Amino acid sequence: MPLAPDHHEGDNAAALRPTEPQRRYLERGLSEPGGKLPLFDAEGRAVPRKTVEACVSHGWARPWFDNPLKPDWLVCRLTEAGYRALGKEPPKA
């Protein structure tokens, strides 16, 4: 899957609020290099694909790279809008 630009970022994404499961998923990226989002939750269960896809569709996350060992896994990272949806400022590039 090619990397999508952060084209969803803007007022719309910033105005929306993540649900509690989406917030838990997104918050995990705050402490990871590059805002990498987890494939598994804190209990070791796979993050539901619908949670990941909803965050991508709202512009809070974007696909980061393809996983050649598990092509069906969606490896994502926080976007600027994702940081802002969590009340944080995105890190400076």
Side-chain angles (χ1 to χ4, degrees), residues 7-69:
H7 68 281
H8 293 292
E9 292 185 33
D11 294 334
N12 265 354
L16 297 171
R17 296 275 184 223
T19 64
E20 192 55 37
Q22 291 166 350
R23 177 173 282 284
R24 281 194 304 268
Y25 169 66
L26 294 169
E27 285 177 339
R28 301 268 312 275
L30 294 174
S31 61
E32 293 296 321
K36 181 185 176 293
L37 293 165
L39 297 171
F40 301 95
D41 67 16
E43 287 78 43
R45 294 179 299 233
V47 173
R49 189 164 184 99
K50 70 179 186 175
T51 299
V52 177
E53 289 174 348
C55 289
V56 170
S57 72
H58 288 303
W60 301 323
R62 72 173 181 93
W64 195 355
F65 60 85
D66 292 329
N67 184 336
L69 299 177

Side-chain angles (χ1 to χ4, degrees), residues 30 32-35 77-80 83-84 88-93:
L30 294 174
E32 293 296 321
R77 66 187 292 177
L78 282 171
T79 63
E80 289 184 12
Y83 282 98
R84 290 191 179 104
K88 306 291 183 187
E89 279 300 310
K92 302 291 181 208

